Amino acid sequence: MNVRVLLLAIFWANQALTQGFSGLGTEAEGFAMPDPQHVISFPQDHGAHPDFRIEWWYLTATLEGDDGAQYGVQWTLFRSAMRPGEGEGWQSPQVWMGHAAVTSAEEHHVAERLARGGIGQAGVISTPFETFIDDWQMLATGAGLEDMTVRARGADFAYDLALHATGPIVLQGDRGYSVKSPGGQASHYFSQPFYEVSGVVTLPDGPVAVTGQGWLDREWSSQPLAEDQSGWDWFSLSFDTGARLMGFGLRGAALFTSATWIAPDGTPTPYGDGALQLTPLNHVEIEGREVPTEWRVALPVRGVDVTVEALNPQAWMGVSFPYWEGPISIAGSHTGRGYLEMTGY
Amino acid sequence: MALLTLLSHWRRHPGQLVTLMLGLALATALWSGVQAINEEARQSYARAAASVTAQSYDRLVTPDGQPVPMADYIALRRAGWLVSPVIGGHVQIGAERWRLLGIDPLTAPQGILPQAAGESLVDPTAFLTGPGQAFVTPGVNIVSDQREMPNFVPVEGIAPGLILTDLSVAARLLDQQDPSFLTILPDQPAGLPALAEVTSLTRQQPSEDRDLSRLTQSFHLNLTAFGFLSFAVGLFIVHSTIGLAFEQRRPVFRTLRALGLPLGRLVGALMVEVTGIALIAGSVGVFLGYFVAAALLPDVAGTLRSLYGADIGGSLAFRPLWAGVGLLIAMLGAWLSAAQAVWKVARMPLLAPAQPRAWAMASAKGRRWQVAGALALFGTSGVAGATGGSLIAGFLCLGALLLGAALMLPPVVSLILAGLSRMVRGALPEWILADTRQQLPGLSLALMALLLALSANVGVSTMVGSFRQTFLGWLNQRLVSELYVTAASNGQAEEIRAMLAPMVDATLPIAYAESRIAGAPGRVYGVADHATYREYWPMIVSVPHVWDALAAGQVALINEQLSLREGLSPGDPVRLTNGLTLPVGGVYSDYGNPTGQAMIALSLLRDRFDDVQEQRTAIRIDPERRGAVIATLQDRFDLPDGAVVDQERVKQASIDVFDQTFRVTGALNVLTLAVAGFALLASLMTLATMRLPQVAPLWALGQTRARLAWIELGRSLGLVLITWAVALPVGLALAWVLLAVVNVVAFGWRLPMMLFPLDWVRLLGLAVLSSALAAAYPALGLLRMPPAHLLKVFSNER
Amino acid sequence: MVRVETVSKTYRSGEGPVAVLSDVSLSVGSKETVALTGESGSGKSTLLHLIGGLDLPDKGSITLDGQEITALGDTARATVRRDTVGLVFQQFNLVPSLTVAQNIALQARLAGRFDAALTQRLIDRLGLSGMQQRYPEQLSGGQQQRVAIGRTLANHPKVVLADEPTGNLDEDTGDAVMSLMLDLVAESGAALIMATHSNRLAARFSRRVHLSRGRLEAA
Ligand SMILES: Nc1ncnc2c1ncn2[C@@H]1O[C@H](COP(=O)(O)OP(=O)(O)O)[C@@H](O)[C@H]1O
Ligand SMILES: [Mg+2]
């Protein structure tokens, strides 16, 4: 079986394929729709929302090793529902997918895991918080999401990290309701961008002790993209000032951008379409595609005008549906480090 | 223009054209039909080898064969081991029983489904949820019953008889949540805990004894040999027809040459003609071949299933490559048949007179060469038979024997006729014999074809008959117990034995363990010490007091296959498993089993082997009381249908399997004989046109047409009789080679040869009937011929 | 010996009926030799075939040695042919699979009146002495016709019917064969009817008749 074909269709990353299945993600399918009135509350919203079509728990971390080298680490659990709700055993309509990656300037290691719901091979528990697929896991060691451990393993790499939050959880968009297109497509979206990270990354050359910063994104929806949108470029920037900037652009008939300025104390200020300016500067060719790995990111209202550049331009995620994900460095009006995700290339 | 002139011949002799086409088409049909069957089987084996069922991956199973608890699966996954669950079983849908395999596409190894399945997966959601989807081989029609069935999607590359679907569908249809086994993916992450620390499941290597293409090689070689034989017989027709047509056109060739047509152009035109005819006839042949294959395939499938457990579908795919090869073969055959004739034309002196009889006479000169060739072939056959230990050598031995006999036939017939003509008195008998001898070269190709078909028939039917007789005797020895019970587990079997012990004469566990015997996969059986074995077991050779030694655990018995394959005789040590090697105490016959087998004392088996299977029990009991015991068993234990069978049913099933096995052989036999009959008809018809100058003078001298017609008919029958008489010893020699050489290599057992004279008489009847039919037409033509037609022979205008 | 009365014969061919003989009558006594002349296609062969019982006329009757063969069935006519008639054709007279000796003896043996001495004498007279064991195709045309004559006479025929027996031979050979035949027929006492279109040969016969446009005229 070509599992990739299967997954391309189940997960919505490839818009063209998704459109092949008429009406997926519409209310007629019975999926719950993001609701601007919904008040995000914990711990319930740490857990899964099986009535929504897609959902993810997305951790990225920019790290420095005791060897002086820079690293990036990704740990993601995706949930996708083929039908709303849960089912017994093998009959469950829920499909889980884990992605893990370690990136350095020279190397990029990726692993992927898939599991069906209903049998305990993968899942999320809200209290005490725990997400897992196979032997990969991200779980809270205390209350809420403040202290966690994260681990994953691939054929040629592994990592085991401890996280400690130094700031509050941040609601994106309008109190956690994040609009994705002029037509009103939206998702529920919140982040914890204030993790301090320490732990060990094991590469083919051996283990490396690492420290750095981490950023957790939580998002769920049933129809995140409009029909004409082909992909997005998503930035999470941690400035040396302690402020954070989340910004994304959805590429459609017109570019749709959105940004959240996060003060060092965690106070968010959302900015709607057009406030954030994204300009690709340099493309590299990866597997026959032109991917921009250097960008100009400007949020003039906040005086931000920076150039971001990939630590490793070849940070390609060659998984079931391929995308680009890797650490970046920031220069210009602000300095710091961050993560860049680009899909649909 | 030259071509048109040449082709006009066929308009004037449509019968010849039909004969030629039909001969070539038949030859191509049988040959390509057999090829189509072989190709279909090969594809099935390849498919089977590519699917999970071929056990291409290591597996994790429970020691007792029960499903793997879900918790064990999850524990392995949560420990990081990449294992994938499979739920397998059999389902009855309508009248058909299917093998059902549910996989988890999310964790299964890449490429577990054929490419086509992935591509036809238009809606993966539909595969994973709801009623689901199931892949089956194209061309099957599954009639759904009341249960909630998945949508069946035909896909190239799925093994026949298999339903491949999602785990969720299999779980529902089989009512089983826990995986039947876990597939271990070949690439595992680094730094995993050892498997034994994570699970108590047992790891199973993929087994090697299911290499179907190797097992079935002999069967397919057999088919190929038959196809080739038919092809050769068909080419005999083509050769003689082309030869005659060329000879009859010699005046035309001469005229064309005299008119200034260069020799090269003439030969070229002839080649174009032959090629054109071959293309048309070949197409017809390929077309027919497809139907031959389609008609035979169900039988072939049955044979392969019963003999080797190999599943090939009952439906046939049309493959352009195969059709192309069939056409090519037809072309090669036609060229081969025409080569001699074209060569003669090329060397023909410009002014040679047309003399159709010279053509008939010409091969008489080659008689000495024929004898020499035949002797050389007999030599080859002998050498191949004596030295060869391989299937190829066996078939070479057969082929050379047959061809040699065919070549030898005309000299032998001519010798017999010469002897007869010295014995008979009377003008008419003398004329008949003299005339027959002269006619012989023209008929000999057809007679040779008939000889091939008849000897093949005698040989194969003697082989099958001997096999069957031996097999029946062996079944009677081997199946002595009155009842056979199959329990669900070893434990239940033990309970059954305990319960039955006081009610019956004996309960004999049928216990075995899979092992590697002398290095190759095979089963080791454990036998209780009981008179049943001592009295009836079909032993071929043994040491004295073998049963006492066996009961004492001092010797092992092995089957004939193993003994022949490894060259083991009583006294030789045979390795039964790690750390257990025993001397061979005896060799027993074990027909129908392609693998090696050994028998040791039951207690020894239980002591020294893991995973001993003891579900089956043989029960000795007064046949009168069978019914009561069966009733008790079904009362006390929840045994499914077929768990208790009596001796007759096992025997009947075995005999059915046996007969099924040789059904195809029988069908091909008949087809070959039919082609040979046609060859005879073709030859007689073409000769009939040349017979007038021979017959007309006798008619003019006062013989009636009716009498001459009877003579013609009788002569053909006489020739067939002689051919049959020659075919008998050749066929018996063939049978001997099949039994003593080919069988030993192909199956691993030697069989005694038995004679079935009644079959020979039946064959003679068949041959006489077919040749009478073949000869009747020309004879009838002579009977009805108007005198004016006969008179033309003498007329001036001729 | 031979009486042909108002015999007519019409062939039905592709181009319509061809009337070959119309009301032909002819009477030939024993020991008489008759030359039958006429152009090619005039019906000479047809008439001889009818007299020999090889074919049947549409109309009229033919009597051979007192037997009306036109009234006989196939088998009986074959017997008359075997016992009474000797036939010599222009070509293909011989059975290819039998030797010269066997061919000469064939008809006499079939009729059951084989006479070894007579046969040997004929072989000598025909100049075939060294050739008894040869096959027809190993003989020249003249030799083949001599074998055919020998075969005919070895059977003591009452009537010899010869259809242009020298037509395929060169003049010298033809003359030699012809002389031999006339001598031997005279010796045997049989009647002879021979078709020929050579007037030179016809001159040596006791009677000459001419076929023209289906009618027989005395020449
Ligand atoms: N079997 C036949 N069918 C039709 N026409 C024939 C047949 N045999 C002879 N004829 C025709 O009858 C005529 C007489 O032929 P034939 O007796 O052979 O003549 P002759 O021997 O004088 O040359 C010829 O025109 C010939 O073409
Ligand atoms: Mg004539």
Side-chain angles (χ1 to χ4, degrees):
Chain A
M1 153 126 5
N2 198 333
V3 179
R4 301 199 161 186
V5 175
L6 183 77
L7 286 163
L8 271 171
I10 294 175
F11 291 88
W12 39 268
N14 186 319
Q15 193 70 5
L17 242 175
T18 313
Q19 281 163 6
F21 311 124
S22 53
L24 262 192
T26 62
E27 276 174 287
E29 286 273 313
F31 287 106
M33 302 304 281
D35 175 8
Q37 305 306 316
H38 174 78
V39 179
I40 296 208
S41 54
F42 304 118
Q44 304 92 280
D45 282 331
H46 290 320
H49 302 79
D51 291 338
F52 286 79
R53 223 164 74 79
I54 52 146
E55 182 162 19
W56 58 63
W57 294 255
Y58 211 122
L59 178 82
T60 53
T62 52
L63 305 169
E64 200 164 274
D66 57 2
D67 56 356
Q70 299 208 340
Y71 295 96
V73 160
Q74 180 200 348
W75 192 104
T76 314
L77 185 64
F78 298 93
R79 180 190 60 77
S80 175
M82 296 177 287
R83 272 186 287 112
E86 255 304 352
E88 278 277 297
W90 299 115
Q91 313 300 332
S92 163
Q94 302 290 334
V95 174
W96 299 86
M97 173 166 69
H99 286 174
V102 174
T103 313
S104 70
E106 292 83 29
E107 296 170 52
H108 182 66
H109 301 279
V110 183
E112 178 179 49
R113 293 296 170 85
L114 294 160
R116 47 212 302 162
I119 54 166
Q121 186 191 341
V124 176
I125 300 159
S126 53
T127 26
F129 177 71
E130 181 182 357
T131 62
F132 65 93
I133 181 164
D134 294 342
D135 59 333
W136 301 2
Q137 59 186 32
M138 175 162 71
L139 50 91
T141 49
L145 303 185
E146 241 138 82
D147 291 288
M148 301 211 290
T149 61
V150 177
R151 69 168 201 232
R153 168 155 53 194
D156 50 1
F157 76 98
Y159 55 77
D160 197 341
L161 306 173
L163 313 179
H164 173 68
T166 57
I169 284 173
V170 176
L171 303 184
Q172 305 279 11
D174 179 11
R175 288 160 295 133
Y177 185 80
S178 169
V179 177
K180 304 293 189 199
S181 79
Q185 267 83 4
S187 68
H188 293 296
Y189 183 8
F190 67 85
S191 307
Q192 170 48 278
F194 295 112
Y195 281 121
E196 276 179 357
V197 182
S198 64
V200 177
V201 170
T202 308
L203 291 172
D205 288 341
V208 183
V210 290
T211 54
Q213 297 177 316
W215 179 310
L216 173 71
D217 265 355
R218 282 280 291 112
E219 196 160 5
W220 63 97
S221 179
S222 289
Q223 30 133 230
L225 292 187
E227 281 206 353
D228 65 324
Q229 292 176 331
S230 62
W232 67 84
D233 307 294
W234 175 90
F235 300 80
S236 63
L237 308 181
S238 300
F239 298 126
D240 293 338
T241 57
R244 306 282 192 264
L245 173 62
M246 188 288 297
F248 58 82
L250 288 152
R251 303 190 302 278
L255 183 69
F256 181 90
T257 63
S258 172
T260 303
W261 177 262
I262 303 165
D265 67 353
T267 311
T269 314
Y271 294 96
D273 186 21
L276 179 73
Q277 293 162 15
L278 299 172
T279 319
L281 299 178
N282 240 329
H283 291 78
V284 294
E285 198 186 307
I286 306 172
E287 302 202 342
R289 311 158 208 248
E290 291 284 310
V291 183
T293 51
E294 200 181 326
W295 291 77
R296 179 168 166 231
V297 178
L299 186 62
V301 282
R302 285 286 175 178
V304 174
D305 188 349
V306 296
T307 309
V308 304
E309 196 182 334
L311 171 67
N312 180 348
Q314 299 293 329
W316 185 253
M317 302 291 287
V319 288
S320 301
F321 60 90
Y323 57 100
W324 193 100
E325 173 102 34
I328 47 176
S329 59
I330 306 163
S333 64
H334 295 66
T335 56
R337 297 180 64 193
Y339 244 82
L340 169 59
E341 180 189 47
M342 299 182 284
T343 71
Y345 286 98
Chain B
M1 191 56 228
L3 194 58
L4 281 181
T5 314
L6 288 175
L7 289 179
S8 68
H9 171 83
W10 302 112
R11 207 158 358 114
R12 281 186 43 231
H13 300 89
Q16 236 174 55
L17 184 63
V18 168
T19 306
L20 181 59
M21 293 266 189
L22 223 67
L24 199 54
L26 280 179
T28 313
L30 286 181
W31 167 258
S32 55
V34 163
Q35 289 313 309
I37 290 174
N38 284 346
E39 184 54 28
E40 191 66 42
R42 248 194 298 281
Q43 301 266 344
S44 297
Y45 303 151
R47 280 200 294 268
S51 73
V52 262
T53 52
Q55 307 186 351
S56 35
Y57 299 98
D58 281 14
R59 293 174 169 192
L60 285 172
V61 296
T62 54
D64 58 358
Q66 295 298 304
V68 175
M70 189 75 92
D72 287 29
Y73 167 58
I74 297 302
L76 276 159
R77 292 293 313 198
R78 301 277 340 239
W81 275 88
L82 299 182
V83 292
S84 183
V86 176
I87 295 182
H90 286 88
V91 278
Q92 187 83 28
I93 304 176
E96 304 253 7
R97 198 170 145 82
W98 293 82
R99 200 150 46 87
L100 180 69
L101 212 57
I103 56 161
D104 177 20
L106 298 177
T107 52
Q110 281 275 347
I112 202 159
L113 278 193
Q115 188 68 32
E119 283 158 10
S120 71
L121 212 60
V122 185
D123 184 354
T125 303
F127 188 81
L128 290 172
T129 60
Q133 286 179 333
F135 298 122
V136 290
T137 195
V140 300
N141 188 20
I142 301 187
V143 186
S144 297
D145 49 23
Q146 302 88 338
R147 285 169 291 180
E148 191 191 4
M149 283 290 160
N151 294 315
F152 293 104
V153 183
V155 156
E156 273 302 330
I158 300 284
L162 175 70
I163 296 177
L164 191 55
T165 185
D166 185 57
L167 209 59
S168 62
V169 177
R172 197 176 66 232
L173 289 179
L174 296 171
D175 196 18
Q176 170 187 334
Q177 288 301 312
D178 292 339
S180 303
F181 60 89
L182 306 177
T183 302
I184 306 178
L185 273 66
D187 295 321
Q188 296 289 337
L192 291 182
L195 205 52
E197 287 171 29
V198 188
T199 188
S200 58
L201 298 172
T202 351
R203 184 175 189 143
Q204 243 182 21
Q205 309 280 328
S207 68
E208 298 151 36
D209 62 346
R210 305 283 308 147
D211 183 356
L212 291 174
S213 35
R214 187 183 59 77
L215 275 180
T216 52
Q217 187 203 8
S218 62
F219 179 78
H220 291 294
L221 206 58
N222 199 335
L223 278 187
T224 307
F226 254 112
F228 192 75
L229 188 66
S230 313
F231 189 64
V233 167
L235 283 195
F236 277 30
I237 303 174
V238 177
H239 180 84
S240 62
T241 321
I242 289 186
L244 178 66
F246 272 51
E247 200 53 51
Q248 285 181 340
R249 284 188 296 179
R250 273 178 90 128
V252 180
F253 301 158
R254 205 177 44 204
T255 312
L256 284 172
R257 291 284 317 278
L259 290 176
L261 184 73
L263 182 63
R265 288 267 305 279
L266 176 61
V267 170
L270 285 172
M271 297 292 284
V272 170
E273 179 195 69
V274 168
T275 308
I277 289 175
L279 269 179
I280 299 172
S283 307
V284 175
V286 166
F287 187 72
L288 285 177
Y290 181 80
F291 285 102
V292 168
L296 288 182
L297 196 62
D299 279 343
V300 173
T303 300
L304 288 168
R305 192 162 29 240
S306 57
L307 202 56
Y308 307 103
D311 235 325
I312 70 168
S315 71
L316 189 68
F318 185 85
R319 296 189 175 79
L321 182 70
W322 161 80
V325 170
L327 268 185
L328 199 72
I329 287 282
M331 218 115 79
L332 286 179
W335 283 336
L336 195 73
S337 309
Q340 194 198 357
V342 171
W343 174 245
K344 269 204 219 156
V345 169
R347 299 200 330 172
M348 179 181 73
L350 199 54
L351 290 177
Q355 41 182 185
R357 275 187 18 79
W359 166 71
M361 293 298 292
S363 49
K365 291 192 195 118
R367 197 158 290 163
R368 213 167 306 148
W369 284 109
Q370 277 184 341
V371 175
L375 291 179
L377 280 168
F378 287 147
T380 310
S381 172
V383 170
T387 61
S390 71
L391 268 183
I392 302 290
F395 278 100
L396 182 70
C397 173
L398 285 185
L401 176 69
L402 268 180
L403 269 183
L407 273 184
M408 202 64 183
L409 180 68
V412 167
V413 174
S414 151
L415 215 68
I416 293 176
L417 291 176
L420 278 177
S421 59
R422 234 168 280 128
M423 278 155 56
V424 299
R425 285 279 149 257
L428 213 51
E430 269 175 34
W431 169 72
I432 292 170
L433 286 173
D435 193 54
T436 308
R437 273 174 80 185
Q438 237 182 21
Q439 207 185 340
L440 193 57
L443 271 179
S444 60
L445 278 175
L447 291 180
M448 283 154 86
L450 187 64
L451 178 84
L452 287 187
L454 288 178
S455 353
N457 209 303
V458 169
V460 169
S461 65
T462 302
M463 187 271 278
V464 174
S466 301
F467 195 172
R468 195 170 195 271
Q469 201 102 318
T470 313
F471 183 71
L472 290 183
W474 171 80
L475 268 186
N476 284 336
Q477 282 184 309
R478 185 121 172 203
L479 295 176
V480 272
S481 295
E482 285 73 18
L483 280 180
Y484 294 86
V485 184
T486 308
S489 65
N490 288 357
Q492 191 186 43
E494 215 156 308
E495 280 176 51
I496 290 174
R497 286 194 286 269
M499 184 203 79
L500 287 181
M503 307 169 58
V504 301
D505 299 342
T507 58
L508 308 170
I510 300 174
Y512 68 88
E514 303 285 355
S515 181
R516 299 182 76 83
I517 308 172
R523 280 182 180 179
V524 179
Y525 278 81
V527 280
D529 186 13
H530 192 266
T532 301
Y533 301 106
R534 291 173 182 259
E535 282 168 32
Y536 295 106
W537 200 250
M539 204 73 89
I540 297 170
V541 284
S542 63
V543 297
H545 308 297
V546 61
W547 292 104
D548 293 334
L550 184 79
Q554 291 158 351
V555 295
L557 305 181
I558 59 174
N559 67 357
E560 187 186 5
Q561 292 82 310
L562 186 62
S563 146
L564 285 170
R565 195 180 66 216
E566 301 295 333
L568 295 173
S569 318
D572 296 341
V574 57
R575 192 182 134 105
L576 301 166
T577 184
N578 287 343
L580 181 60
T581 299
L582 287 178
V584 172
V587 179
Y588 56 93
S589 44
D590 183 22
Y591 304 119
N593 174 11
T595 58
Q597 199 182 82
M599 279 168 52
I600 57 175
L602 182 59
S603 50
L604 191 61
L605 181 82
R606 286 175 175 157
D607 276 1
R608 304 292 290 270
F609 286 82
D610 302 329
D611 296 345
V612 174
Q613 304 291 312
E614 289 194 51
Q615 288 96 320
R616 299 186 61 212
T617 307
I619 297 165
R620 300 303 314 268
I621 183 181
D622 178 358
E624 305 276 287
R625 295 185 44 237
R626 269 189 309 208
V629 168
I630 294 175
T632 316
L633 276 174
Q634 271 158 355
D635 233 27
R636 284 278 299 278
F637 301 94
D638 181 24
L639 294 176
D641 279 356
V644 187
V645 286
D646 60 23
Q647 194 195 66
E648 275 80 49
R649 263 173 67 190
V650 180
K651 268 187 196 162
Q652 196 48 52
S654 307
I655 294 168
D656 289 348
V657 164
F658 182 91
D659 289 341
Q660 172 71 60
T661 304
F662 289 101
R663 202 162 290 163
V664 188
T665 314
L668 280 174
N669 230 334
V670 169
L671 283 178
T672 313
L673 199 62
V675 174
F678 180 73
L680 197 64
L681 175 69
S683 302
L684 285 173
M685 296 231 304
T686 49
L687 278 181
T689 61
M690 296 162 48
R691 300 268 318 136
L692 276 187
Q694 323 268 334
V695 177
L698 267 114
W699 171 72
L701 295 186
Q703 300 298 315
T704 58
R705 282 167 298 167
R707 185 160 195 188
L708 291 171
W710 276 113
I711 290 173
E712 292 292 292
L713 193 66
R715 184 209 328 273
S716 302
L717 294 190
L719 284 175
V720 168
L721 195 74
I722 295 176
T723 308
W724 171 79
V726 176
L728 268 191
V730 176
L732 293 180
L734 198 71
W736 184 84
V737 175
L738 281 172
L739 289 169
V741 181
V742 175
N743 253 325
V744 176
V745 188
F747 301 107
W749 54 71
R750 195 187 301 275
L751 295 162
M753 182 158 135
M754 294 167 204
L755 302 182
F756 303 90
L758 225 66
D759 280 359
W760 307 343
V761 175
R762 188 149 13 99
L763 189 64
L764 174 67
L766 211 65
V768 164
L769 193 74
S770 67
S771 59
L773 284 178
Y777 183 78
L780 217 63
L782 183 61
L783 185 66
R784 297 238 185 91
M785 190 171 288
H789 204 88
L790 279 161
L791 283 169
K792 274 205 182 127
V793 171
F794 311 109
S795 79
N796 309 355
E797 293 94 44
R798 202 186 131 95
Chain C
M1 183 51 52
V2 178
R3 209 166 66 238
V4 178
E5 277 175 287
T6 60
V7 160
S8 296
K9 178 76 179 175
T10 301
Y11 286 116
R12 260 153 287 277
S13 71
E15 295 99 56
V18 186
V20 183
L21 302 173
S22 37
D23 286 336
V24 169
S25 298
L26 174 68
S27 194
V28 179
S30 43
K31 298 195 177 176
E32 201 178 355
T33 60
V34 177
L36 180 59
T37 57
E39 287 168 16
S40 182
S42 58
K44 303 184 294 293
S45 300
T46 303
L47 183 56
L48 288 182
H49 293 160
L50 293 177
I51 296 173
L54 293 166
D55 206 351
L56 287 173
D58 301 330
K59 192 170 101 27
S61 71
I62 297 170
T63 310
L64 273 189
D65 195 18
Q67 272 194 302
E68 189 185 336
I69 58 165
T70 42
L72 296 177
D74 216 30
T75 315
R77 246 184 313 126
T79 310
V80 172
R81 211 155 62 222
R82 188 186 70 195
D83 296 345
T84 316
V85 183
L87 289 161
V88 183
F89 299 102
Q90 186 172 1
Q91 57 183 349
F92 296 107
N93 278 299
L94 305 181
V95 177
S97 51
L98 297 180
T99 61
V100 167
Q102 286 173 321
N103 260 294
I104 290 181
L106 183 61
Q107 193 172 11
R109 290 178 68 192
L110 286 174
R113 55 166 89 108
F114 176 62
D115 178 343
L118 171 64
T119 307
Q120 192 51 53
R121 208 162 59 240
L122 282 169
I123 288 175
D124 291 342
R125 287 290 305 276
L126 289 163
L128 294 168
S129 306
M131 306 173 191
Q132 279 112 308
Q133 294 315 310
R134 292 207 196 163
Y135 284 89
E137 62 182 11
Q138 294 165 316
L139 301 179
S140 71
Q143 288 165 338
Q144 286 189 20
Q145 289 308 71
R146 279 185 269 159
V147 173
I149 293 166
R151 182 192 63 196
T152 296
L153 295 175
N155 190 33
H156 298 295
K158 300 244 167 55
V159 187
V160 175
L161 304 171
D163 190 355
E164 301 189 43
T166 59
N168 265 357
L169 308 177
D170 61 78
E171 207 167 286
D172 289 350
T173 315
D175 280 356
V177 168
M178 187 57 61
S179 304
L180 204 51
M181 182 162 85
L182 284 172
D183 289 354
L184 289 172
V185 169
E187 279 169 33
S188 77
L192 169 67
I193 307 176
M194 187 179 90
T196 178
H197 48 243
S198 158
N199 287 323
R200 195 173 49 79
L201 288 176
R204 301 171 65 175
F205 286 68
S206 59
R207 185 146 67 102
R208 283 162 297 280
V209 289
H210 186 73
L211 255 180
S212 169
R213 280 190 228 104
R215 303 208 173 261
L216 198 62
E217 318 155 350

